Amino acid sequence: MKHPDDDDPRDDGPPEEIPQILLPTEEEAQALLERQVGEEELLPAIPKADLPGVLVVFPLRRSVPFPGLVMPVQAEAGNETGIMEQALAQGRHVGLLLAEGGDAATLPRPREFRRVGVVAEVHKRIRLPDGNSSYLCKGVCRFTVKRFLRRKNGAPVARVSYPEDIYPKDEKGEAMARNVLMLSQKVANHNPALGEGFTLAAHNMDPVGHLADFATAYLVKEVEAKQQVLETLDVAERLHKVDVALTRELVTLELGDRIQQEIRSKVEDQQKEFFLREQIKIIRRELGEEKDPQERDRDHFLAKLADHDYPEEVDAKVREEVERLAMVPPVSPEYPVIRNYLEWLVELPWNRSSEDRLDLDEAERILDRDHYGLVEPKERILEFLAVRRMRPGKAGAILCFTGPPGVGKTSLAMAMSEGMNRKLERISLGGMRDEAEIKGHRRTYVGAMPGRILQMMRRAGTDNPVIVLDEVDKLGKDFRGDPSSALLEVLDPAQNSAFLDLYMDLPFDLSKVMFVATANVPANIPPPLRDRMELIELPGYVNAEKIQIGRRHLVPRQLEAHGLDTKRLKIPVATLRALVGGWTREAGVRGLEKAIASLCRKRALEVARKKRRVAEVKPGGLEKYLGPPKWEDDPVRLTPGVGVALGLAYTPAGGDVLEAECVAVSGKGKVSWTGSLGDVMTESCRIAHSLLRSSAETFGISEAALASQDLHVHFPAGAVRKDGPSAGITIAAAMLGRLTGRQMRPRTAMSGEITLTGEILPVGGLREKVLAAKRQGVKRVVLPAQNRPDVEILDPAWTRGLQFHWVKTFEEALPLLFHGFSGK
């Protein structure tokens, strides 16, 4: 089959196999350099007039040839060897030309060749064991391809010309040549493979154009940069390009050397320190001043056993683990696991107790010093201490302080620990979902450690601290277990004398620990856990108590925290009363303390700016510092309109007064509700509506109005979740007022569960509800008759100014709720 190049010399033809160029090894490079310098007479220069005008072209892929240099060219058996053999047959000259594109299995097309190459004279052929051949070639001079001719026997053939180098006429070329020579020596010094032969050869290069070629061939790595130097005929420009390439290469090499030196220095310092430390250890060990790590650890743990009193079971376990530790190499991953377990065994306070201070007068003084009011909780704490005094070995109850935020639950537990002279540890259980936080992980897990209970025991250093379990009503659970179930063993006085942590795997006595839990909503505590604790309610504060707390505790604390004194800021009782009523309405005193802190910050800024102000802040001056009041008497609550009723509610933040609104629209006698109501409150809406429909005549409601109107009940603050049965009477009153057009009595609130027969059942949270009514300005309170004992035991200060009315049925409540309603 005829080759396409035979018909059209301009046709590139099919791709052919790509030859490979072997770069010289270190030994070959040294030999080539010596050949360059010492054997020039064996390779005499050939006049360009004697060079052929048509050359067989051999493609180079990964190297660039240069005139005057010797290089080996490897040709694979087949087409590549044929190219070299054809060149040898036509006069031992071959054109070495850089080619781009194609792959190892094909020869490049004419357009893939560069147009400037080197004509080389083939001196020797070496047959390789794999069937390929290596040809030793010496570059003669540059050539430029005019055009490619049609191929003979598949070898690329080109018509070429031989351009002359253009040398500068001034001394610029000599200066650049010296600079290139200097850079070449510096770069060559970073390559030990080049040796002294390179420097000798570089100094003997003449003319300077050959020096540029020589330096580029051996010192420049980028193929493209080499090709650009080869294509540059202007010697001055060629030297400039070589200068730039060598400078870039030198900067890279120097940076690499600097980095390598830094790494080497760091490694040497580390190795030096390591060897010195090892030598010191050996010397100390020989002198008997230092023991082997295993022996030292063994002596440490056995000394702990001798110094402290441990239970017999713990003593045996420690000795067993010490023997295991002696059999494990220190480099083994098991060694730190055993050692960590031993540390926990010897550091836990198995039989170490602090001496209780059971002075009731001192404990009462501390409680009164830190807390105002809270008579019942303080009395229960003193009872607890009295029992401990009468019977020191008795475990006692697990106390749980419940109440809204900011009433002093956690601080009361801290005062207890101070009064008893016990260590205090605290853990927040809010959001805890992993039971391993309580009972620990087994030692088979990586990074295992004991639970939080034993961690606190180790920190306390005694087996009878006070441990505060904060937010016990906010425990969670998921796939990792139920922490509340894990707490059952901890908080059960009948079981916690042998509490078993999964990590320790030894029973630990928690019976001497005084556990104090805190919670906002007791109903959210799991029943089994709640059954193991004694609930002590901490009610919200009335305004008088808040004023005293602010005067005795909050104001002095904030003055000290802000660097002020009574000469710079004085907050009288009247100002505190205005602050409590207008800026903070809450069950606790956290909001009051924040308002006092804000007032102190404003005054501190004035003092820092050297503004003279009267120290005393009067009630009228609060708006200047805190802005307008956030709370004012709600006119709806003072004089509710038709279809509006006031109910008393119990929330996690304390008691509150809620409004129940009812409107009527044309319809078919249905009822709907809004306000984020729970299932119990929605049932109360249905019960109230059914009660009014079943006793319409008794309540003076028109049958036509019930049949033709739909009722819609709404509780404002729709984003707040609401639920519970105590709003039943409030919902019925709002519906009745809307259907009869009657208006509720002013400043009247109510609470009670309602039934389909109109009975009013008792409800809970009376303490918080009464405080909320007093705080919000309510004067008359309607409550179930069965709740009367719950109100009578309240502090008179909480009920002063309130009128209580007790009812058994909804019909009895009507004259108390509406004007002009006599009932039947």
Side-chain angles (χ1 to χ4, degrees):
M1 184 174 181
K2 192 174 183 181
H3 196 282
D5 283 350
D6 295 339
D7 298 329
D8 188 357
R10 296 171 297 174
D11 191 1
D12 292 341
E16 298 180 4
E17 192 171 0
I18 300 173
Q20 300 292 328
I21 302 299
L22 288 180
L23 297 177
T25 63
E26 295 182 6
E27 295 78 4
E28 292 175 340
Q30 185 67 25
L32 290 175
L33 287 173
E34 294 174 355
R35 186 180 182 88
Q36 285 287 78
V37 179
E39 299 183 5
E40 285 293 337
E41 67 278 6
L42 299 178
L43 304 172
I46 300 177
K48 292 185 179 181
D50 297 336
L51 294 175
V54 177
L55 286 176
V56 175
V57 177
F58 188 91
L60 300 179
R61 292 290 185 181
R62 290 176 296 180
S63 67
V64 177
F66 283 94
L69 301 181
V70 178
M71 63 183 300
V73 177
Q74 181 177 344
E76 294 187 2
N79 292 332
E80 296 177 359
T81 305
I83 294 175
M84 297 302 291
E85 293 300 325
Q86 183 175 348
L88 291 174
Q90 295 181 358
R92 302 173 64 89
H93 289 97
V94 64
L96 302 180
L97 198 60
L98 182 65
E100 299 174 339
D103 51 38
T106 59
L107 291 176
R109 298 178 180 180
R111 62 171 176 268
E112 295 173 344
F113 284 97
R114 293 297 185 93
R115 288 302 184 258
V116 176
V118 172
V119 58
E121 185 176 1
V122 181
H123 286 272
K124 188 176 182 180
R125 175 184 179 182
I126 302 173
R127 300 183 184 276
L128 302 177
D130 58 359
N132 301 330
S133 299
S134 179
Y135 296 87
L136 188 63
C137 303
K138 179 192 176 184
V140 178
C141 66
R142 288 174 171 79
F143 71 84
T144 302
V145 176
K146 293 183 177 180
R147 67 185 183 92
F148 279 92
L149 305 177
R150 59 184 175 180
R151 302 176 181 180
K152 296 181 178 180
N153 299 328
V157 178
R159 186 174 297 280
V160 300
S161 62
Y162 302 96
E164 297 289 341
D165 288 345
I166 304 174
Y167 284 88
K169 298 181 180 179
D170 51 14
E171 297 180 355
K172 181 179 179 181
E174 183 65 24
M176 296 184 67
R178 291 182 180 181
N179 194 41
V180 168
L181 182 60
M182 179 187 64
L183 288 173
S184 300
Q185 292 175 348
K186 291 182 178 181
V187 174
N189 290 336
H190 288 81
N191 189 355
L194 295 178
E196 297 181 359
F198 176 86
T199 303
L200 181 62
H203 277 87
N204 287 274
M205 285 293 167
D206 190 41
V208 293
H210 289 179
L211 174 62
D213 294 343
F214 182 73
T216 303
Y218 282 95
L219 303 179
V220 179
K221 294 182 178 179
E222 298 179 3
V223 174
E224 184 61 30
K226 289 184 176 183
Q227 182 64 27
Q228 290 181 5
V229 172
L230 180 66
E231 294 176 356
T232 304
L233 299 179
D234 190 324
V235 175
E237 184 179 355
R238 187 189 304 170
L239 290 170
H240 175 72
K241 290 183 178 180
V242 177
D243 193 318
V244 171
L246 291 178
T247 302
R248 186 183 300 112
E249 186 69 19
L250 181 61
V251 170
T252 303
L253 291 172
E254 290 178 347
L255 178 60
D257 288 346
R258 189 160 57 250
I259 295 174
Q260 184 65 25
Q261 183 62 31
E262 292 178 359
I263 297 174
R264 183 187 181 112
S265 175
K266 186 180 298 184
V267 172
E268 287 179 350
D269 291 342
Q270 293 175 350
Q271 292 292 330
K272 180 180 178 181
E273 181 180 356
F274 172 77
F275 285 118
L276 289 176
R277 290 188 182 277
E278 289 298 318
Q279 290 175 0
I280 292 174
K281 288 181 181 179
I282 295 173
I283 293 173
R284 286 180 175 177
R285 195 175 299 127
E286 291 294 330
L287 294 174
E289 297 179 359
E290 182 177 348
K291 298 180 180 179
D292 184 76
Q294 286 179 293
E295 185 179 355
R296 184 174 63 248
D297 288 341
R298 181 178 181 276
D299 293 345
H300 167 72
F301 294 120
L302 293 179
K304 286 281 187 178
L305 289 181
D307 295 341
H308 299 88
D309 180 24
Y310 292 95
E312 182 179 348
E313 188 177 5
V314 176
D315 187 285
K317 189 68 174 177
V318 171
R319 296 184 185 278
E320 177 186 343
E321 293 296 324
V322 166
E323 293 301 323
R324 284 188 60 202
L325 191 70
M327 299 173 61
V328 177
V331 296
S332 172
E334 185 70 14
Y335 190 87
V337 174
I338 300 175
R339 194 184 188 284
N340 189 50
Y341 180 61
L342 280 169
E343 286 285 354
W344 278 99
L345 281 174
V346 299
E347 292 296 333
L348 281 176
W350 297 95
N351 289 321
R352 296 195 297 271
S353 303
S354 61
E355 185 177 354
D356 285 346
R357 181 173 57 197
L358 299 176
D359 187 343
L360 299 182
D361 294 335
E362 178 66 14
E364 186 175 7
R365 185 192 66 80
I366 293 174
L367 292 173
D368 292 337
R369 180 198 66 189
D370 296 340
H371 299 83
Y372 179 83
L374 304 177
V375 177
E376 183 179 346
K378 290 179 181 178
E379 184 178 358
R380 180 63 186 86
I381 293 173
L382 293 176
E383 292 174 359
F384 180 87
L385 298 181
V387 174
R388 282 297 179 98
R389 182 174 182 177
M390 299 299 296
R391 188 178 177 186
K394 187 177 185 300
I398 308 296
L399 303 182
C400 180
F401 296 145
T402 65
V407 296
K409 299 184 294 297
T410 304
S411 61
L412 195 61
M414 295 179 179
M416 284 181 58
S417 69
E418 182 181 352
M420 298 179 67
N421 192 31
R422 288 192 176 191
K423 296 291 185 67
L424 176 71
E425 293 293 333
R426 176 182 172 274
I427 177 176
S428 179
L429 301 178
M432 184 179 292
R433 297 177 178 274
D434 189 358
E435 68 177 15
E437 291 282 344
I438 304 297
K439 303 200 67 173
H441 299 83
R442 296 191 181 277
R443 279 181 289 158
T444 53
Y445 291 95
V446 176
M449 61 189 307
R452 300 284 292 277
I453 300 297
L454 289 192
Q455 290 181 37
M456 290 187 290
M457 298 299 296
R458 181 179 179 179
R459 286 198 302 268
T462 62
D463 62 357
N464 61 341
V466 175
I467 294 182
V468 181
L469 305 174
D470 255 341
E471 312 295 347
V472 73
D473 59 328
K474 298 177 178 61
L475 280 169
K477 62 179 180 179
D478 58 12
F479 64 93
R480 291 170 291 185
D482 185 0
S484 63
S485 300
L487 279 175
L488 296 179
E489 182 183 358
V490 176
L491 300 182
D492 192 343
Q495 301 181 39
N496 61 10
S497 59
F499 171 70
L500 187 64
D501 186 276
L502 296 179
Y503 179 84
M504 301 306 301
D505 200 24
L506 287 173
F508 190 91
D509 186 5
L510 296 177
S511 61
K512 299 179 182 179
V513 179
M514 183 175 181
F515 289 100
V516 180
T518 68
N520 296 130
V521 184
N524 291 344
I525 304 175
L529 190 59
R530 187 171 63 241
D531 185 60
R532 283 164 169 78
M533 300 184 293
E534 180 181 347
L535 301 184
I536 300 178
E537 295 185 7
L538 275 69
Y541 298 109
V542 295
N543 288 352
E545 291 176 327
K546 291 182 181 179
I547 294 171
Q548 292 300 320
I549 293 172
R551 183 179 67 85
R552 298 184 183 187
H553 302 285
L554 304 183
V555 171
R557 185 161 62 205
Q558 291 302 322
L559 288 177
E560 182 181 358
H562 292 84
L564 300 173
D565 52 29
T566 54
K567 295 181 180 180
R568 293 176 174 175
L569 178 61
K570 186 177 181 180
I571 305 176
V573 174
T575 304
L576 282 174
R577 185 178 295 108
L579 194 62
V580 169
W583 280 266
T584 61
R585 284 191 179 179
E586 55 178 345
V589 291
R590 283 182 181 164
L592 177 60
E593 186 170 12
K594 291 178 182 177
I596 295 173
S598 178
L599 190 60
C600 291
R601 289 195 299 270
K602 298 289 194 302
R603 177 52 58 91
L605 181 60
E606 292 177 349
V607 172
R609 290 178 174 175
K610 299 182 179 180
K611 293 183 179 181
R612 293 186 178 181
R613 292 285 187 272
V614 179
E616 183 174 334
V617 177
K618 297 185 177 299
L622 288 176
E623 291 193 28
K624 175 184 176 183
Y625 294 98
L626 303 179
K630 299 179 181 179
W631 304 96
E632 296 180 356
D633 289 337
D634 192 343
V636 175
R637 293 182 175 179
L638 295 177
T639 56
V642 175
V644 178
L646 300 183
L648 299 176
Y650 175 72
T651 69
D656 197 5
V657 178
L658 297 182
E659 302 165 1
E661 302 173 342
C662 181
V663 297
V665 295
S666 298
K668 299 180 180 180
K670 297 181 179 180
V671 62
S672 59
W673 48 83
T674 53
S676 298
L677 307 185
D679 294 338
V680 178
M681 287 191 72
T682 58
E683 291 176 358
S684 297
C685 293
R686 295 191 185 99
I687 292 171
H689 189 244
S690 298
L691 172 63
L692 296 182
R693 293 186 65 182
S694 64
S695 304
E697 183 179 352
T698 303
F699 300 134
I701 303 174
S702 170
E703 292 284 352
L706 281 171
S708 62
Q709 292 183 353
D710 288 345
L711 298 182
H712 183 176
V713 179
H714 175 69
F715 284 82
V720 180
R721 181 76 174 172
K722 310 172 190 68
D723 202 5
S726 62
I729 186 175
T730 309
I731 296 171
M735 289 182 177
L736 181 60
R738 174 58 61 187
L739 292 172
T740 60
R742 296 178 184 272
Q743 187 174 358
M744 287 281 301
R745 291 180 182 271
R747 297 182 181 269
T748 301
M750 67 205 80
S751 181
E753 180 180 355
I754 197 168
T755 68
L756 286 173
T757 58
E759 292 186 56
I760 304 301
L761 302 182
V763 293
L766 264 298
R767 186 196 312 246
E768 285 73 18
K769 292 177 180 179
V770 169
L771 290 175
K774 186 176 180 64
R775 186 168 59 246
Q776 300 291 354
V778 173
K779 299 300 182 183
R780 305 170 75 246
V781 180
V782 179
L783 295 173
Q786 297 181 44
N787 283 123
R788 188 166 189 164
D790 299 326
V791 176
E792 289 178 348
I793 65 174
L794 298 180
D795 192 321
W798 302 346
T799 59
R800 188 178 299 117
L802 295 176
Q803 298 178 12
F804 292 94
H805 301 276
W806 313 101
V807 296
K808 294 182 179 180
T809 64
F810 183 62
E811 188 174 357
E812 292 180 17
L814 296 183
L816 303 172
L817 301 177
F818 298 97
H819 287 288
F821 206 117
S822 59
K824 290 186 180 180

mmCIF file of all heavy atoms in Angstrom, residues 280-292 295-296 299:
data_model
loop_
_atom_site.group_PDB
_atom_site.id
_atom_site.type_symbol
_atom_site.label_atom_id
_atom_site.label_comp_id
_atom_site.label_asym_id
_atom_site.label_seq_id
_atom_site.Cartn_x
_atom_site.Cartn_y
_atom_site.Cartn_z
ATOM 1 N N ILE A 280 21.283 10.403 80.041
ATOM 2 C CA ILE A 280 21.060 10.837 81.423
ATOM 3 C C ILE A 280 20.282 9.771 82.194
ATOM 4 O O ILE A 280 20.577 9.465 83.359
ATOM 5 C CB ILE A 280 20.322 12.187 81.444
ATOM 6 C CG1 ILE A 280 21.234 13.289 80.906
ATOM 7 C CG2 ILE A 280 19.845 12.527 82.849
ATOM 8 C CD1 ILE A 280 20.539 14.631 80.754
ATOM 9 N N LYS A 281 19.273 9.196 81.525
ATOM 10 C CA LYS A 281 18.482 8.150 82.181
ATOM 11 C C LYS A 281 19.363 6.955 82.549
ATOM 12 O O LYS A 281 19.264 6.398 83.656
ATOM 13 C CB LYS A 281 17.339 7.703 81.263
ATOM 14 C CG LYS A 281 16.219 8.721 81.118
ATOM 15 C CD LYS A 281 15.126 8.188 80.212
ATOM 16 C CE LYS A 281 14.009 9.211 80.036
ATOM 17 N NZ LYS A 281 12.947 8.691 79.129
ATOM 18 N N ILE A 282 20.208 6.568 81.603
ATOM 19 C CA ILE A 282 21.070 5.400 81.868
ATOM 20 C C ILE A 282 22.025 5.696 83.007
ATOM 21 O O ILE A 282 22.245 4.866 83.904
ATOM 22 C CB ILE A 282 21.824 5.008 80.586
ATOM 23 C CG1 ILE A 282 20.827 4.522 79.512
ATOM 24 C CG2 ILE A 282 22.854 3.933 80.876
ATOM 25 C CD1 ILE A 282 21.449 4.269 78.170
ATOM 26 N N ILE A 283 22.585 6.909 83.010
ATOM 27 C CA ILE A 283 23.527 7.268 84.079
ATOM 28 C C ILE A 283 22.820 7.285 85.434
ATOM 29 O O ILE A 283 23.328 6.757 86.429
ATOM 30 C CB ILE A 283 24.160 8.641 83.778
ATOM 31 C CG1 ILE A 283 25.056 8.544 82.524
ATOM 32 C CG2 ILE A 283 24.966 9.134 84.963
ATOM 33 C CD1 ILE A 283 25.581 9.872 82.047
ATOM 34 N N ARG A 284 21.623 7.892 85.466
ATOM 35 C CA ARG A 284 20.881 7.925 86.724
ATOM 36 C C ARG A 284 20.486 6.522 87.178
ATOM 37 O O ARG A 284 20.495 6.218 88.370
ATOM 38 C CB ARG A 284 19.623 8.788 86.557
ATOM 39 C CG ARG A 284 19.924 10.278 86.498
ATOM 40 C CD ARG A 284 18.632 11.068 86.344
ATOM 41 N NE ARG A 284 18.890 12.502 86.394
ATOM 42 C CZ ARG A 284 17.937 13.429 86.223
ATOM 43 N NH1 ARG A 284 16.684 13.050 85.994
ATOM 44 N NH2 ARG A 284 18.243 14.703 86.287
ATOM 45 N N ARG A 285 20.112 5.690 86.208
ATOM 46 C CA ARG A 285 19.735 4.333 86.564
ATOM 47 C C ARG A 285 20.929 3.569 87.130
ATOM 48 O O ARG A 285 20.802 2.788 88.085
ATOM 49 C CB ARG A 285 19.154 3.629 85.334
ATOM 50 C CG ARG A 285 18.394 2.354 85.657
ATOM 51 C CD ARG A 285 17.757 1.779 84.409
ATOM 52 N NE ARG A 285 16.805 2.717 83.828
ATOM 53 C CZ ARG A 285 16.811 3.116 82.570
ATOM 54 N NH1 ARG A 285 17.720 2.635 81.730
ATOM 55 N NH2 ARG A 285 15.904 3.967 82.122
ATOM 56 N N GLU A 286 22.131 3.809 86.561
ATOM 57 C CA GLU A 286 23.328 3.144 87.067
ATOM 58 C C GLU A 286 23.676 3.630 88.469
ATOM 59 O O GLU A 286 24.162 2.873 89.301
ATOM 60 C CB GLU A 286 24.503 3.388 86.118
ATOM 61 C CG GLU A 286 24.376 2.684 84.775
ATOM 62 C CD GLU A 286 24.421 1.174 84.918
ATOM 63 O OE1 GLU A 286 25.090 0.685 85.856
ATOM 64 O OE2 GLU A 286 23.775 0.475 84.101
ATOM 65 N N LEU A 287 23.385 4.918 88.720
ATOM 66 C CA LEU A 287 23.670 5.477 90.039
ATOM 67 C C LEU A 287 22.578 5.176 91.045
ATOM 68 O O LEU A 287 22.696 5.524 92.221
ATOM 69 C CB LEU A 287 23.855 6.996 89.939
ATOM 70 C CG LEU A 287 25.079 7.475 89.139
ATOM 71 C CD1 LEU A 287 25.063 8.987 89.002
ATOM 72 C CD2 LEU A 287 26.369 7.011 89.808
ATOM 73 N N GLY A 288 21.495 4.548 90.593
ATOM 74 C CA GLY A 288 20.381 4.237 91.482
ATOM 75 C C GLY A 288 19.471 5.407 91.760
ATOM 76 O O GLY A 288 18.635 5.356 92.667
ATOM 77 N N GLU A 289 19.596 6.500 90.982
ATOM 78 C CA GLU A 289 18.759 7.685 91.197
ATOM 79 C C GLU A 289 17.447 7.615 90.432
ATOM 80 O O GLU A 289 16.539 8.375 90.701
ATOM 81 C CB GLU A 289 19.522 8.945 90.781
ATOM 82 C CG GLU A 289 20.771 9.181 91.617
ATOM 83 C CD GLU A 289 21.514 10.412 91.159
ATOM 84 O OE1 GLU A 289 21.037 11.047 90.185
ATOM 85 O OE2 GLU A 289 22.537 10.756 91.747
ATOM 86 N N GLU A 290 17.351 6.769 89.470
ATOM 87 C CA GLU A 290 16.124 6.668 88.672
ATOM 88 C C GLU A 290 15.829 5.206 88.396
ATOM 89 O O GLU A 290 16.737 4.413 88.119
ATOM 90 C CB GLU A 290 16.275 7.420 87.346
ATOM 91 C CG GLU A 290 15.007 7.381 86.507
ATOM 92 C CD GLU A 290 15.147 8.188 85.232
ATOM 93 O OE1 GLU A 290 16.136 8.942 85.128
ATOM 94 O OE2 GLU A 290 14.295 8.059 84.356
ATOM 95 N N LYS A 291 14.554 4.887 88.462
ATOM 96 C CA LYS A 291 14.144 3.510 88.252
ATOM 97 C C LYS A 291 13.536 3.344 86.873
ATOM 98 O O LYS A 291 13.161 4.307 86.209
ATOM 99 C CB LYS A 291 13.129 3.109 89.315
ATOM 100 C CG LYS A 291 13.666 3.160 90.737
ATOM 101 C CD LYS A 291 12.583 2.748 91.728
ATOM 102 C CE LYS A 291 13.117 2.804 93.167
ATOM 103 N NZ LYS A 291 12.072 2.420 94.138
ATOM 104 N N ASP A 292 13.396 2.116 86.480
ATOM 105 C CA ASP A 292 12.726 1.788 85.234
ATOM 106 C C ASP A 292 11.261 2.234 85.309
ATOM 107 O O ASP A 292 10.634 2.178 86.385
ATOM 108 C CB ASP A 292 12.804 0.285 84.998
ATOM 109 C CG ASP A 292 12.205 -0.108 83.660
ATOM 110 O OD1 ASP A 292 12.856 0.104 82.641
ATOM 111 O OD2 ASP A 292 11.065 -0.637 83.688
ATOM 112 N N GLU A 295 8.983 -0.233 86.912
ATOM 113 C CA GLU A 295 9.252 -0.384 88.338
ATOM 114 C C GLU A 295 8.793 0.843 89.111
ATOM 115 O O GLU A 295 8.258 0.738 90.221
ATOM 116 C CB GLU A 295 10.752 -0.615 88.549
ATOM 117 C CG GLU A 295 11.108 -0.905 89.995
ATOM 118 C CD GLU A 295 12.602 -1.148 90.162
ATOM 119 O OE1 GLU A 295 13.318 -1.176 89.124
ATOM 120 O OE2 GLU A 295 13.053 -1.295 91.316
ATOM 121 N N ARG A 296 8.981 2.015 88.499
ATOM 122 C CA ARG A 296 8.553 3.247 89.162
ATOM 123 C C ARG A 296 7.032 3.282 89.329
ATOM 124 O O ARG A 296 6.514 3.650 90.387
ATOM 125 C CB ARG A 296 9.023 4.453 88.355
ATOM 126 C CG ARG A 296 8.705 5.783 89.029
ATOM 127 C CD ARG A 296 9.307 6.953 88.281
ATOM 128 N NE ARG A 296 8.757 7.080 86.941
ATOM 129 C CZ ARG A 296 9.441 6.861 85.830
ATOM 130 N NH1 ARG A 296 10.711 6.495 85.903
ATOM 131 N NH2 ARG A 296 8.880 7.003 84.645
ATOM 132 N N ASP A 299 5.987 0.808 92.106
ATOM 133 C CA ASP A 299 6.239 1.336 93.450
ATOM 134 C C ASP A 299 5.249 2.443 93.804
ATOM 135 O O ASP A 299 4.831 2.566 94.963
ATOM 136 C CB ASP A 299 7.674 1.868 93.540
ATOM 137 C CG ASP A 299 8.711 0.753 93.434
ATOM 138 O OD1 ASP A 299 8.318 -0.423 93.580
ATOM 139 O OD2 ASP A 299 9.888 1.068 93.187
#
